[in-house]
Amino acid sequence: MDKPISGMMIYYYIVCKRKLWYFYNQIQMESDNENVKIGKVLDETAYGREEKHINIDDVISIDYIKNRGVLHEVKKSRKIEEAGIMQIKYYLYYLKQRGVEGITGKVDYPLLKQSVDIELTAEDAKYIETVLIDLKELVNKPLPPLIEKKSICKSCAYFELCYI
Ligand code: SF4
C-alpha cells in the first residue's frame, strides 16, 4: 500500500527527485550531516515561545502556528526557496481537502530575519495534483532517478551514496 505523501516529500520532489526516492524508500542518512544539525539547532531555538510541530494525520508536520490560521515553516536559507514555498502550499492544500478554509502560510528564515507570505491559488492546487501523480509514480519505481549534478549535492546527506 502507498505511504501518505508528507510535506517533506513535496519539498524533496522540488529539491531533487533522487533524494525523494531515497527518502520515500527509507534510505536515510540525515543524522550525521552538518546541515541537518544546523536545522535541528534552529528548530530548538527559533521562535521558542510558539507551539511547535503540529502533526496532522501523520501526513504533515507544521513547524508552528501563530496568530490563528497562519502556518509557519522554518528554513535556514532561501537557496531552495521554491521547495519551502511548495511544502507549505501543500499543507494549505491538504487542509483544504479536509475542509479547513481561510488559512495562509509563511516561510520563515530566522537566520536572515526574513519571511515570505504564502497563499494557495487555484493554479497551485492544480499543480499540486499533477505533482502528486508524478511523485507517486516516481517513488514506486524499483530504482532511483539518475543523478543530476546540482549545487546542493555537496551539502546533501546522500552525497556519498550518489558520488562515491
Ligand atoms: S547528492 Fe545530489 S543527486 Fe544525490 S540525492 Fe543529494 S541532491 Fe540528489
Side-chain angles (χ1 to χ4, degrees):
M1 201 177 90
D2 281 352
K3 280 185 239 174
I5 304 304
S6 67
M8 189 51 82
M9 291 174 195
I10 298 288
Y11 183 80
Y12 287 162
Y13 178 87
I14 307 287
V15 169
C16 171
K17 292 181 176 52
R18 187 173 169 98
K19 187 172 172 110
L20 164 70
W21 188 94
Y22 284 143
F23 181 78
Y24 183 92
N25 290 288
Q26 293 177 322
I27 299 166
Q28 302 208 17
M29 300 181 70
E30 299 282 1
S31 58
D32 290 337
N33 183 281
E34 199 55 35
N35 276 325
V36 175
K37 284 184 203 156
I38 295 168
K40 281 187 180 152
V41 171
L42 253 186
D43 186 46
E44 283 155 17
T45 54
Y47 313 104
R49 280 169 300 181
E50 312 301 337
E51 190 188 349
K52 292 199 280 186
H53 296 305
I54 298 115
N55 184 310
I56 297 172
D57 298 342
D58 278 336
V59 171
I60 59 179
S61 172
I62 297 163
D63 280 347
Y64 70 96
I65 300 180
K66 196 177 176 185
N67 295 338
R68 217 166 148 223
V70 184
L71 316 182
H72 288 252
E73 178 66 26
V74 180
K75 297 290 181 203
K76 69 179 189 307
S77 83
R78 296 182 78 146
K79 210 156 85 180
I80 30 184
E81 185 170 10
E82 186 200 347
I85 289 173
M86 199 45 67
Q87 183 178 354
I88 205 149
K89 282 186 175 178
Y90 178 61
Y91 292 161
L92 297 174
Y93 169 86
Y94 183 83
L95 290 169
K96 196 168 178 200
Q97 303 300 305
R98 302 286 312 268
V100 183
E101 304 262 5
I103 50 172
T104 59
K106 238 181 217 285
V107 183
D108 297 313
Y109 306 96
L111 294 179
L112 306 172
K113 297 196 187 327
Q114 293 174 357
S115 59
V116 176
D117 293 322
I118 312 291
E119 283 185 21
L120 182 77
T121 64
E123 289 73 36
D124 293 329
K126 269 193 209 147
Y127 175 65
I128 288 169
E129 276 155 18
T130 62
V131 165
L132 288 172
I133 293 168
D134 190 43
L135 188 154
K136 283 178 197 164
E137 195 181 314
L138 189 153
V139 293
N140 282 306
K141 288 193 171 158
L143 291 172
L146 295 175
I147 297 167
E148 284 174 48
K149 283 192 181 174
K150 296 167 186 275
S151 60
I152 57 159
C153 288
K154 282 195 194 112
S155 56
C156 174
Y158 296 109
F159 180 79
E160 290 185 15
L161 210 51
C162 288
Y163 289 96
I164 296 173

